[in-house]
Amino acid sequence: QVQLVGSGGGLVQAGGSLRLSCAASGLTFSSYDMGWFRQAPEKEREFVAAIIWTWTGTTTEYYSDSAKGRFTISRDNAKKTVYLQMNNLKPDDTAAYYCAAVLRGGGSSYYTERTYRYWGQGTQVTVSS
């Protein structure tokens, strides 16, 4: 059974940093594209970042406008873990963060929830003023 377990959330002051982790099991991790989404109370779930395989065997990282320049997505295939390094956090970053996985070639839009087959349980990030 596929499981994605997110961790690393917490309370941080504006301008601080956190690194989220998402450990995968029950799948061949290197065969999957990975993404991060977030959802704040009373708001829609939104795309944050994705790391996508190319046909040449490299990965390409994509970010939302709000994440670009502040967040970095990475993966460790040996540990079957995807990370989201978040720097210069802002109160608007407060949300539950979810990792997601989809087989390479299994979706068409890395920024769309419907693309992803498997989801983590979410880890809460709270940024205070």
Side-chain angles (χ1 to χ4, degrees):
Q1 186 175 50
V2 173
Q3 287 191 326
L4 303 178
V5 180
S7 63
L11 175 64
V12 64
Q13 293 186 13
S17 299
L18 286 171
R19 189 175 78 157
L20 306 183
S21 299
C22 176
S25 62
L27 51 73
T28 303
F29 187 71
S30 61
S31 297
Y32 284 78
D33 294 331
M34 303 296 297
W36 285 96
F37 290 74
R38 68 186 183 187
Q39 187 168 24
E42 301 182 346
K43 294 184 178 180
E44 298 286 336
R45 188 170 297 185
E46 65 177 355
F47 168 76
V48 178
I51 185 164
I52 308 296
W53 288 105
T54 71
W55 69 271
T56 60
T58 62
T59 53
T60 299
E61 295 76 49
Y62 299 93
Y63 300 94
S64 67
D65 289 342
S66 63
K68 185 178 180 181
R70 299 189 299 128
F71 295 2
T72 302
I73 187 171
S74 62
R75 64 190 294 161
D76 185 331
N77 290 331
K79 295 183 177 180
K80 302 178 69 173
T81 301
V82 62
Y83 303 95
L84 184 68
Q85 177 67 45
M86 304 187 295
N87 298 326
N88 191 25
L89 284 161
K90 306 176 185 296
D92 284 348
D93 295 319
T94 296
Y97 284 71
Y98 299 85
C99 61
V102 64
L103 277 169
R104 298 172 65 175
S108 59
S109 302
Y110 61 83
Y111 52 84
T112 303
E113 291 181 68
R114 298 183 189 274
T115 292
Y116 297 88
R117 175 64 60 87
Y118 303 110
W119 291 83
Q121 84 284 5
T123 183
Q124 179 67 38
V125 171
T126 302
V127 184
S128 65
S129 301

